[in-house]
Amino acid sequence: MIQQKSPIFPHGLRQIGGILVLAIAYYQMAEISRHLASTPNNVTPVWPPDGIAAGAVLLFGNWIGYGVLLGSFLANFWAFRDPTSFLSLVISTLPVLFIAIGTTLGTMLGAFLLRKTTNQRYPLERVTDVFKFLLLTGMVGPSINATVGVACLALSGKVPWTACGTVWLTWWISNVSGIFIVTPILLSWGQFTQKKQRPIWQWLSLSPTSEDCENLPHLRHLRANSRPLKFWLILVEPVILMGLLILISKVAFGEGYHLEYMLIPMLIWSAFRLGQPCTMLLTFIVAAIAVIATVNGKGSFVTQDLDQSLIQLQSFIGVITLSIRRCIMAV
């Protein structure tokens, strides 16, 4: 009998490590988001941590939801704590705890509904599954987060009751935007790693297979001629494409020129040439530039009302997401 080697780290220890990593990633992304864009009510218009949370739960399972709970608690504790006295600190901690619970419940609900309706398929493969992802994970789940969060802030006096509607809409849009932008990146790269692609250096070397041995001279000639082309495909082309996307994004959103929809051909190029993971990453870069510019009063989506600006921006992000997803499926 062959004895199987036991893993270096026990299963329970690996789960604890995953929970801590997710909590740290959630907290750090929350701090970055607040630094780049925040409203007077301490509600960030775009909340990438929820995209990280949704992606982690969909990839690894419900057990990592404890990381969402811990990360959300840490992120909101430092934002809403009242260090005046020990009693005020304890009192201010209670709504933060309920906000973290609401965030976790919303994330788990969105993941549960998506798994149930797609039979646990990869949700970015079919058009119907993409719509289910956008609706159930991207919109239904965040409604729980926003409702619980705004109720806690109102009950604790952090937000006036008259502003609850506006704050709820901003909170919900921020969660939706974070999931639309960040979660597809995690899911696509997770799917890519599961396919066990050959390492890049093996692909560059064009190692011959047994069935190609008869044509070995021709294969050697092909390998010698194709290395410059593969170097171009792997390194140069993505760099040029990323530079063009950043340039157009800065001109469209930073300078106010109406060039935002010129980004779609660039992303379609990426979909056909670089594949799903790289395209999702480039889409995230475009969305991040658009969000930061809009929150700071720049770009074609800016209006006098921040919520209206974010709704227009959300429609733009949705159009890009659906268009690029459709192109990727056609490849």
Side-chain angles (χ1 to χ4, degrees):
M1 178 181 295
I2 300 176
Q3 294 182 352
Q4 296 181 352
K5 294 183 178 180
S6 59
I8 299 176
F9 299 104
H11 179 67
L13 188 60
R14 293 200 302 270
Q15 286 190 339
I16 293 175
I19 290 171
L20 293 177
V21 169
L22 176 58
I24 294 172
Y26 190 105
Y27 170 72
Q28 292 296 333
M29 183 58 70
E31 291 300 311
I32 294 173
S33 301
R34 287 197 183 97
H35 178 72
L36 293 177
S38 183
T39 66
N41 291 321
N42 285 329
V43 178
T44 305
V46 176
W47 195 241
D50 260 25
I52 296 176
V57 172
L58 288 171
L59 285 174
F60 299 104
N62 294 334
W63 61 268
I64 207 167
Y66 292 106
V68 180
L69 179 67
L70 179 59
S72 178
F73 177 82
L74 293 174
N76 290 288
F77 174 78
W78 294 107
F80 298 109
R81 75 189 190 283
D82 183 4
T84 305
S85 63
F86 177 77
L87 181 60
S88 63
L89 183 63
V90 173
I91 294 175
S92 64
T93 301
L94 292 178
V96 170
L97 178 60
F98 283 107
I99 290 173
I101 293 174
T103 299
T104 306
L105 291 177
T107 303
M108 302 288 281
L109 176 64
F112 169 78
L113 293 176
L114 183 63
R115 292 195 193 104
K116 200 72 174 178
T117 55
T118 60
N119 295 322
Q120 298 190 358
R121 291 189 302 267
Y122 176 58
L124 303 181
E125 195 75 38
R126 308 179 183 182
V127 176
T128 55
D129 291 343
V130 171
F131 276 104
K132 291 174 183 177
F133 163 74
L134 297 177
L135 177 63
L136 300 176
T137 305
M139 295 184 179
V140 174
S143 64
I144 305 297
N145 306 9
T147 302
V148 175
V150 173
C152 291
L153 293 182
L155 290 172
S156 61
K158 300 290 185 181
V159 172
W161 287 99
T162 55
C164 282
T166 302
V167 175
W168 187 94
L169 184 60
T170 304
W171 194 308
W172 181 76
I173 292 175
S174 70
N175 283 243
V176 172
S177 302
I179 293 175
F180 278 16
I181 297 171
V182 178
T183 304
I185 300 176
L186 301 179
L187 295 180
S188 60
W189 280 98
Q191 180 74 1
F192 176 78
T193 56
Q194 288 180 2
K195 288 182 178 180
K196 298 180 179 179
Q197 298 285 341
R198 287 193 304 173
I200 293 178
W201 56 85
Q202 290 185 9
W203 192 59
L204 281 171
S205 64
L206 283 176
S207 302
T209 59
S210 57
E211 60 185 9
D212 295 327
C213 290
E214 297 179 358
N215 300 322
L216 188 57
H218 172 71
L219 184 60
R220 288 175 178 172
H221 177 71
L222 176 64
R223 179 174 58 185
N225 293 334
S226 61
R227 279 183 177 175
L229 176 61
K230 290 188 178 297
F231 175 79
W232 163 267
L233 293 176
I234 292 176
L235 296 179
V236 179
E237 186 177 16
V239 171
I240 293 177
L241 183 57
M242 182 180 296
L244 289 175
L245 282 171
I246 294 175
L247 177 62
I248 296 175
S249 299
K250 283 187 171 294
V251 171
F253 299 108
E255 304 297 332
Y257 294 96
H258 296 279
L259 302 175
E260 56 273 4
Y261 286 98
M262 286 186 61
L263 296 166
I264 295 181
M266 298 291 101
L267 292 172
I268 292 176
W269 174 14
S270 173
F272 280 91
R273 299 293 295 171
L274 305 180
Q276 184 178 124
C278 291
T279 303
M280 291 295 99
L281 183 60
L282 292 175
T283 304
F284 168 77
I285 294 174
V286 170
I289 295 175
V291 167
I292 294 173
T294 302
V295 171
N296 287 278
K298 298 179 180 179
S300 57
F301 299 109
V302 175
T303 63
Q304 294 182 350
D305 184 11
L306 177 60
D307 291 321
Q308 185 178 355
S309 302
L310 293 174
I311 291 174
Q312 294 182 14
L313 177 61
Q314 184 63 45
S315 66
F316 169 74
I317 295 174
V319 167
I320 285 184
T321 302
L322 291 176
S323 302
I324 301 309
R325 287 301 319 152
R326 191 67 186 92
C327 291
I328 292 175
M329 293 173 189
V331 176

